[in-house]
């Protein structure tokens, strides 16, 4: 009897520990998958011999999958609950990553990129719904900290990608390793979370188009998504083609961007409590524009990495504060803002690719700096950020 009680108590303690780390682990997983794909884009581009415009089409497909799946993400979260949606979308995400490395030609890569975009957006909405509920339960800001764990993933994923690329390992084996390592932790964290399946209500609106003040939040998120997504997808190409970095050095610009974003998100909740959300976002994005300017004018690795790092610190508060503000109004409001916000993922990286094809990548990155100034202008007047 004593042995059974001890075993049961140990099991409960283990489940409690998993419950504490579950949501941060989900954000960490998304960050590692995101940066693993972003860091190996130059290798996949070279393998399939894609030019800037053709690569932009691949990224456009990812954006179409992401934005087009937001009604599905809202339906999954509203019908099955955020916990179950996290598992279903997480499994799809871990399947899609190795498939990106296996694509033998352009059209296959475009199709898989669409699937990857849909899986990542559904997973993103689900874990942000979990985070918004956890923030309500905690009674204090924690969303910036949770998004900080996403940056832990992007930063560590970029460094891992740099090491693996430097060893000459093909992207498909890199991606298979990441998916295999996270399969069991995803399921264990899902098992530890309390069931949140909602009761069926035929009159409840699962998804809504952003309106009113939600539009302002969505526009800020839209520009933020363009900045984050474009730097993730094109910083490596910029380092390789313009700075002439090695395969191992190309991911370091994004590692610098993600690393400083991580630092700022870990202190973002305290900054929000002390200075309020609007000034933090406004001043931060002004600094981000300055950082992009340094990267555009750089002619060597160190100043380019420094510029991207400053940009990462500057835009760090945008997504956590926008998602926190939208999450206070329910999961349908969160999905609506996410739809408008992540439309930037649809437009941004391909637009930068087409600009790079016509005017050169430095000019395309300068456009991202202008968008940072636009975020600063919008956020200075966004009452719902508070």
């Amino acid at each position: 009897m004593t042995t059974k009680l001890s075993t049961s108590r140990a099991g409960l303690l283990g489940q409690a520990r998993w419950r504490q780390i579950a949501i941060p682990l989900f954000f960490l997983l998304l960050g590692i998958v995101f940066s693993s794909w972003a860091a190996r884009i130059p290798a996949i581009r070279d393998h399939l011999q894609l030019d800037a415009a053709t690569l932009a089409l691949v990224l456009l497909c990812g954006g179409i999958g992401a934005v087009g799946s937001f009604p599905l993400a809202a339906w999954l979260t509203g019908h099955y609950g955020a916990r179950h949606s996290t598992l279903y979308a997480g499994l799809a995400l871990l399947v899609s990553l190795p498939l990106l490395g296996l694509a033998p030609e352009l059209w296959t890569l475009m199709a898989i990129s669409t699937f990857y975009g849909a899986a990542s957006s559904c997973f993103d909405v689900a874990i942000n719904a979990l985070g918004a509920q956890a923030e309500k339960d905690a009674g204090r800001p924690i969303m910036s900290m949770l998004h900080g764990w996403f940056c832990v993933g992007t930063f560590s994923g970029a460094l891992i990608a740099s090491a693996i690329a430097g060893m000459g390992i093909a992207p498909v084996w890199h991606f298979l390793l990441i998916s295999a390592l996270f399969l069991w932790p995803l399921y264990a964290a899902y098992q530890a979370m309390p069931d949140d399946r909602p009761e069926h209500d035929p009159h409840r609106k699962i998804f809504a188009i952003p309106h009113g003040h939600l539009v302002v939040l969505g526009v800020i998120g839209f520009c933020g998504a363009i900045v984050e997504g474009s730097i993730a997808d094109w910083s490596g190409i910029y380092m390789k083609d313009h700075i002439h970095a090695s395969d191992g050095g190309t991911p370091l610009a994004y590692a610098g961007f993600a690393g400083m974003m991580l630092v700022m998100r870990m202190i973002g909740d305290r900054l929000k409590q002390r200075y309020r959300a609007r000034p933090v976002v406004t001043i931060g994005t002004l600094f981000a524009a300055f950082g992009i300017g340094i990267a555009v004018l750089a002619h060597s690795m160190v100043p380019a990495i420094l510029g991207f790092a400053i940009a990462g610190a500057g835009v760090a508060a945008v997504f956590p504060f926008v998602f926190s503000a939208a999450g206070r109004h329910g999961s349908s409001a969160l999905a609506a803002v996410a739809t408008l916000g992540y439309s930037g993922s649809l437009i941004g990286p391909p637009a930068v690719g087409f600009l790079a094809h016509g005017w050169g990548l430095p000019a395309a990155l300068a456009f991202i700096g202008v968008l940072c100034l636009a975020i600063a202008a919008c956020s200075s007047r966004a009452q719902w950020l508070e």
Side-chain angles (χ1 to χ4, degrees), residues 138-162:
R140 58 184 176 84
I142 64 169
M143 190 66 87
S144 184
M145 180 272 293
L146 291 175
H147 280 254
W149 281 103
F150 171 81
C151 292
V152 172
T154 55
F155 180 63
S156 58
L159 291 180
I160 292 168
S162 176

Side-chain angles (χ1 to χ4, degrees), residues 235-245 249-250 253 301 304-305 308:
S235 61
I237 302 292
Y238 178 77
M239 293 292 287
K240 187 166 188 177
D241 293 356
H242 187 73
I243 306 297
H244 306 295
T250 54
M301 284 185 62
I305 293 171
F308 285 118

Side-chain angles (χ1 to χ4, degrees), residues 48-86:
L48 297 181
Q49 298 181 335
L50 308 177
D51 60 21
T54 309
L55 180 58
L57 290 176
V58 174
L59 301 178
L60 177 64
C61 288
I64 290 172
V67 176
S69 68
F70 274 113
L72 172 63
W75 179 83
L76 282 172
T77 305
H79 190 74
Y80 293 105
R83 171 180 176 254
H84 292 286
S85 300
T86 296

Side-chain angles (χ1 to χ4, degrees), residues 30-385:
L30 181 61
I32 287 182
V33 170
F34 180 80
S35 64
S36 297
W37 158 237
R40 301 311 301 268
I41 286 175
I44 292 174
R45 178 202 65 168
D46 292 346
H47 176 67
L48 297 181
Q49 298 181 335
L50 308 177
D51 60 21
T54 309
L55 180 58
L57 290 176
V58 174
L59 301 178
L60 177 64
C61 288
I64 290 172
V67 176
S69 68
F70 274 113
L72 172 63
W75 179 83
L76 282 172
T77 305
H79 190 74
Y80 293 105
R83 171 180 176 254
H84 292 286
S85 300
T86 296
L87 177 65
Y88 303 151
L91 291 173
L93 185 62
L94 292 180
V95 169
S96 68
L97 183 62
L99 293 177
L100 289 167
L102 283 170
E105 59 182 2
L106 172 63
W107 301 109
T108 308
L109 183 61
M110 290 172 65
I112 298 170
S113 179
T114 305
F115 175 54
Y116 164 79
S120 62
S121 71
C122 288
F123 188 71
D124 197 8
V125 169
I127 65 176
N128 273 284
L130 290 174
Q133 184 58 50
E135 187 173 66
K136 287 181 183 178
D137 294 341
R140 58 184 176 84
I142 64 169
M143 190 66 87
S144 184
M145 180 272 293
L146 291 175
H147 280 254
W149 281 103
F150 171 81
C151 292
V152 172
T154 55
F155 180 63
S156 58
L159 291 180
I160 292 168
S162 176
I164 291 177
M167 291 186 287
I169 297 174
V172 62
W173 299 111
H174 173 192
F175 295 164
L176 278 169
L177 176 64
I178 295 296
S179 294
L181 286 176
F182 276 95
L183 187 60
W184 182 80
L186 171 67
Y187 183 73
Y190 155 78
Q191 287 282 78
M193 294 291 294
D195 190 12
D196 63 350
R197 186 190 295 265
E199 294 185 6
H200 178 65
D201 181 2
H203 302 291
R204 183 180 57 201
K205 184 180 290 187
I206 297 297
F207 180 76
I209 300 297
H211 61 280
H213 293 288
L214 290 178
V215 173
V216 180
L217 294 179
V219 168
I220 295 172
F222 173 82
C223 295
I226 293 177
V227 173
E228 285 197 36
S230 298
I231 290 177
D233 290 345
W234 289 101
S235 61
I237 302 292
Y238 178 77
M239 293 292 287
K240 187 166 188 177
D241 293 356
H242 187 73
I243 306 297
H244 306 295
S246 65
D247 286 344
T250 54
L252 293 180
Y254 185 63
F257 178 82
M260 285 306 299
M261 185 178 285
L262 163 62
V263 171
M264 291 304 297
R265 281 182 175 173
M266 286 304 180
I267 64 173
D269 293 319
R270 278 174 283 174
L271 292 175
K272 182 180 178 181
Q273 286 181 310
R274 184 168 182 176
Y275 299 109
R276 297 179 298 111
R278 283 195 294 163
V280 173
V281 175
T282 301
I283 296 173
T285 46
L286 290 175
F287 271 101
F290 175 69
I292 294 296
I294 293 176
V296 169
L297 296 174
H299 294 286
S300 62
M301 284 185 62
V302 173
I305 293 171
L306 175 63
F308 285 118
I310 294 172
V315 299
V318 175
F319 268 126
F321 291 1
V322 166
F323 276 49
S324 176
R328 289 194 293 269
H329 301 277
S331 61
S332 61
L334 176 61
V337 169
T339 301
L340 186 53
Y342 277 103
S343 296
S345 301
L346 170 64
I347 294 173
V352 168
F354 290 124
L355 284 173
H357 187 71
W359 299 93
L361 194 48
L365 289 178
F367 166 72
I368 298 175
V370 173
L371 280 180
C372 290
L373 297 177
I375 297 173
C378 289
S379 59
S380 66
R381 297 176 176 273
Q383 297 287 345
W384 270 31
L385 265 179

Side-chain angles (χ1 to χ4, degrees), residues 1-9:
M1 177 68 78
T2 304
T3 304
K4 289 182 178 179
L5 286 174
S6 299
T7 304
S8 177
R9 188 178 295 114

